[in-house]
Amino acid sequence: MLIIRNCMSIINRQRTGVALFANGNAQNRSQSSTNAEVKEQRVTRDDVEWQNARSFDSIPAASGLSLIYNMAFPGGKYKNMDLTQLVLGMRNDYGEFFRMPKIFGSDAMVITYNPKDFEAVYRHEGIWPHRPGSDTLRYHRESYRKDFYKGVEGLIPSQGKSWGEFRSIVNPVLMQPKNVRLYYKKMSQVNCEFVERIKTIRDATNQEVPHNFIEDINRWTLESVSVVALDKQLGLLKESDKSDNVMLLFKSLDEFFTYAGDLEVKPSLWRYVQTPMKKKLMNAYDNIQKVTLEFVNEALVRLEAEENKGIVRAENEKSVLEKLLKIDKKVATIMAMDMLMAGVDTTSSTFAAAMLCIATNPVKQDKLREEVMRVLPNKDSEFTEDSMKNVPYLRACIKESQRMYPLVIGHARTTNRDCVLSGHKVPAGTFVSMMPLSMLSNDEYFPKASEFLPERWLRSDASTSKCPANPLKTTNPFVFLPFGFGPRMCVGKRIVDMELELGIARIIRNFKVEFNHSRENAFRSVLINKPNIPLRFKFTDLDH
Ligand code: HEM
């Protein structure tokens, strides 16, 4: 999710005319200090590739003023475009490789649509890749509520190493067999509640869920990520059981996405004055912080009570939250907040994409159900680690839907070494935005790209040399990176895998799913690609 912010902040600086004129605000300082640090650590290259490359200045440059006009002013050709349209429009106008000039205090930036460049950037990113995060969240933590955060940056606005620490804690916990079983059990409970909710909200005559089904999906994803972030179920999928705090958290997470999307993408004066939307966003951040802190305090009381009763878990059986609490309560709270903020709309959009693809491809759905029936013989069977190792078609369906409806429009890094991109010298410290978007639907990279073909992600049987390579396989792995790449790839991937695989399997085991409405413009790019049509799926109960 963060990645898109980075793409956005590139565009944003060009888009928000006023923002370009200012220098010296907290956000700009953070960004430039990162770039300065990178430049200081720079290892000078003197190899043949570097010597032969053309200069940075010879990279075709977009005119800053025309970009500002086109993005921000009435009549500008990019003015009313969503991000996907903007990115495709700019490629048409400026080509596959160009730079945004160093104007009005912003750093020079390079935008590339060339997959060889993606590979070069990732291959040179080292173990601590740089990528700026959310400006509004950083402002909340570094300025607005600095007394609370006291320098703990968290994951989302991370310039530093929080994500490395998080990954080193979370991934081992989610790999311990005992923990995996426990999380499977908890997530299965959430998924069974989701199935029951679908049965309750669907229309009794046509079996379709209401037009605002995305809200129910959001409830499900928040409930699922809370199992990890807060060691707690919130009760959002049931009619009773919801405390005021839970509803405040749900509402504030929704507001965060709406307002941050608006402020970080569209022209806004928020960096200089207290706009009404900035006030609302700061209020949403305050509420997320307050409720998360209360839930973390609750968890501490729970754990203390357990300890007093003599219940002691071995180190390798401790939950993600317990491990984070061992570092520090504040760190645990901030990391939990970030999991909640990064883990709802992202997973909901990806789930919606998968369901749209599965619902509109009945032959693939039948094939998927056959596989699911083997691991879940009954509607209420339990998932086991072994069963989840045997669902290649389910995984392929999810991957293929991420290709057809990608969550993000691109990826970004501030290079920490000199790179040669599209034959040009790009010095360390340059903000590079990589845009694979149009390639995901291009036959050159994905044979029969317009078709939903999960088979392209299945391994051909390599045990026999007679077996031909999969002809549908992508021709370039750097084009499709739904969770990013390298040390800085999505820290939530393991959690997402569990949520989506278990959730989709349970739904396909319970229902035949159809979608009998138009899918035109099914998604719209705001910070991420979000569903743009009513998700009126038809869920028909399976007989057995
Ligand atoms: C299907 C759902 C999701 C997708 C497709 C997704 C995708 C991404 C991508 C592309 C990135 C940038 C990676 C890079 O630059 O290489 C990212 C970063 C991140 N994601 Fe996710 N994400 C999803 C769900 C989640 C969830 C559930 C969580 C939390 C538990 C999460 C937490 C984060 C965080 C904290 C970062 C920033 C990490 C950093 O700065 O190093 N994401 N995600």
Side-chain angles (χ1 to χ4, degrees):
M1 151 180 159
L2 274 282
I3 193 61
I4 202 65
R5 295 252 161 86
N6 305 320
C7 306
M8 284 320 76
S9 60
I10 297 173
I11 289 161
N12 184 28
R13 285 178 216 163
Q14 302 302 321
R15 224 174 178 179
T16 52
V18 181
L20 291 170
F21 287 92
N23 222 342
N25 58 64
Q27 295 73 41
N28 284 350
R29 270 200 306 276
S30 297
Q31 175 56 39
S32 352
S33 66
T34 309
N35 292 353
E37 277 165 29
V38 171
K39 278 172 191 156
E40 261 170 41
Q41 294 157 11
R42 174 179 168 186
V43 182
T44 314
R45 277 183 69 173
D46 198 21
D47 53 280
V48 178
E49 188 196 24
W50 184 256
Q51 280 172 7
N52 289 341
R54 279 166 279 163
S55 70
F56 182 80
D57 289 340
S58 68
I59 299 174
S63 141
L65 286 176
S66 94
L67 281 173
I68 294 168
Y69 170 76
N70 280 323
M71 288 175 179
F73 287 88
K77 66 193 288 195
Y78 306 141
K79 173 101 172 82
N80 294 318
M81 289 184 167
D82 80 355
L83 283 171
T84 303
Q85 294 162 337
L86 175 68
V87 164
L88 295 176
M90 284 171 72
R91 192 189 59 172
N92 274 345
D93 293 342
Y94 299 106
E96 300 253 305
F97 185 70
F98 61 94
R99 69 191 157 95
M100 302 277 205
K102 187 168 182 163
I103 45 169
F104 307 128
S106 69
D107 284 314
M109 286 163 269
V110 167
I111 297 200
T112 176
Y113 300 78
N114 176 352
K116 286 194 184 127
D117 292 344
F118 309 165
E119 184 169 359
V121 170
Y122 288 128
R123 295 270 182 234
H124 288 91
E125 69 178 4
I127 53 168
W128 297 114
H130 286 263
R131 174 165 52 71
S134 160
D135 283 352
T136 54
L137 194 55
R138 189 174 309 118
Y139 170 77
H140 186 257
R141 291 180 184 180
E142 288 181 0
S143 305
Y144 195 74
R145 292 285 175 231
K146 66 172 182 234
D147 290 349
F148 175 81
Y149 290 93
K150 293 203 168 85
V152 182
E153 61 178 1
L155 297 164
I156 295 185
S158 173
Q159 302 277 4
K161 297 178 181 174
S162 309
W163 49 271
E165 189 173 39
F166 180 83
R167 198 183 305 268
S168 68
I169 291 169
V170 172
N171 285 354
V173 172
L174 295 181
M175 281 164 80
Q176 283 295 334
K178 277 202 174 167
N179 280 322
V180 172
R181 275 197 290 280
L182 195 69
Y183 281 119
Y184 274 6
K185 208 169 171 186
K186 289 181 179 175
M187 284 200 184
S188 281
Q189 167 74 28
V190 173
N191 295 337
C192 291
E193 285 175 15
F194 191 34
V195 165
E196 288 313 308
R197 186 168 180 89
I198 289 173
K199 290 182 185 168
T200 316
I201 60 173
R202 72 186 164 182
D203 185 303
T205 45
N206 65 14
Q207 317 287 300
E208 283 191 357
V209 284
H211 70 283
N212 60 348
F213 184 51
I214 187 65
E215 277 179 31
D216 301 276
I217 299 177
N218 283 339
R219 283 172 185 245
W220 169 65
T221 50
L222 175 53
E223 197 70 48
S224 305
V225 75
S226 298
V227 162
V228 180
L230 301 170
D231 256 353
K232 178 182 169 72
Q233 267 197 249
L234 303 175
L236 276 161
L237 294 165
K238 293 184 177 165
E239 277 320 305
S240 53
D241 286 358
K242 290 181 291 291
S243 71
D244 290 348
N245 260 350
V246 167
M247 289 322 287
L248 181 63
L249 179 65
F250 186 63
K251 177 173 147 281
S252 307
L253 285 170
D254 189 50
E255 289 172 346
F256 143 64
F257 231 89
T258 310
Y259 301 141
D262 228 80
L263 290 181
E264 297 199 16
V265 177
K266 293 183 185 160
S268 166
L269 290 168
W270 76 267
R271 288 178 171 82
Y272 315 100
V273 291
Q274 177 76 315
T275 66
M277 197 174 283
K278 175 180 177 182
K279 205 169 163 192
K280 286 184 194 165
L281 179 61
M282 292 306 128
N283 196 33
Y285 284 145
D286 281 350
N287 286 334
I288 296 170
Q289 177 193 311
K290 172 181 150 293
V291 177
T292 310
L293 183 61
E294 282 180 31
F295 286 150
V296 169
N297 280 334
E298 259 180 36
L300 270 174
V301 173
R302 230 173 20 237
L303 290 168
E304 264 167 35
E306 280 181 15
E307 213 174 306
N308 292 340
K309 281 190 210 151
I311 305 171
V312 183
R313 270 181 291 279
E315 206 48 43
N316 63 4
E317 288 172 26
K318 290 202 162 120
S319 70
V320 169
L321 185 62
E322 275 179 280
K323 292 266 188 184
L324 292 172
L325 278 167
K326 273 196 109 182
I327 310 177
D328 175 59
K329 188 170 102 180
K330 187 158 290 177
V331 170
T333 306
I334 296 168
M335 297 231 181
M337 277 177 72
D338 285 357
M339 282 192 263
L340 299 175
M341 286 195 282
V344 177
D345 297 68
T346 47
T347 315
S348 294
S349 284
T350 308
F351 172 79
M355 292 312 287
L356 277 175
C357 291
I358 294 167
T360 50
N361 288 277
V363 175
K364 309 291 177 196
Q365 184 175 150
D366 288 347
K367 192 169 168 184
L368 172 61
R369 188 167 296 107
E370 253 174 53
E371 180 182 271
V372 169
M373 288 289 200
R374 283 197 290 273
V375 294
L376 292 180
N378 302 311
K379 286 184 181 178
D380 59 355
S381 302
E382 289 289 342
F383 290 97
T384 64
E385 265 177 285
D386 278 347
S387 62
M388 293 318 286
K389 280 183 191 146
N390 290 312
V391 284
Y393 202 70
L394 172 61
R395 290 186 178 145
C397 285
I398 296 171
K399 260 184 146 176
E400 180 68 345
S401 64
Q402 288 182 297
R403 179 189 70 80
M404 296 204 77
Y405 297 118
L407 181 75
V408 295
I409 56 159
H411 303 270
R413 291 286 185 269
T414 302
T415 53
N416 53 17
R417 289 190 203 169
D418 294 344
C419 290
V420 174
L421 302 182
S422 291
H424 293 265
K425 290 186 171 109
V426 174
T430 307
F431 194 4
V432 179
S433 184
M434 300 168 275
M435 299 295 186
L437 196 58
S438 52
M439 293 156 213
L440 298 180
S441 51
N442 186 330
D443 283 353
E444 188 189 327
Y445 295 99
F446 296 94
K448 301 191 186 175
S450 61
E451 293 175 45
F452 176 68
L453 294 172
E455 289 71 15
R456 77 173 81 247
W457 302 107
L458 297 177
R459 282 203 193 133
S460 39
D461 185 0
S463 59
T464 155
S465 55
K466 284 183 204 145
C467 183
N470 186 340
L472 295 167
K473 212 177 134 189
T474 177
T475 54
N476 186 327
F478 284 91
V479 170
F480 178 73
L481 298 170
F483 292 97
F485 183 83
R488 209 108 199 226
M489 76 183 286
C490 176
V491 294
K493 184 173 182 311
R494 269 176 198 282
I495 301 170
V496 176
D497 286 347
M498 258 190 210
E499 286 180 48
L500 290 179
E501 288 168 16
L502 268 53
I504 293 172
R506 185 67 71 190
I507 284 183
I508 291 302
R509 181 62 190 86
N510 276 270
F511 304 110
K512 174 181 172 199
V513 190
E514 290 163 85
F515 188 79
N516 300 316
H517 304 276
S518 164
R519 278 174 294 145
E520 209 180 324
N521 297 322
F523 287 81
R524 181 174 165 78
S525 291
V526 273
L527 273 179
I528 53 169
N529 287 322
K530 292 183 76 171
N532 188 41
I533 53 173
L535 297 174
R536 303 208 59 195
F537 291 105
K538 178 176 175 185
F539 290 99
T540 313
D541 290 331
L542 297 182
D543 289 340
H544 52 270

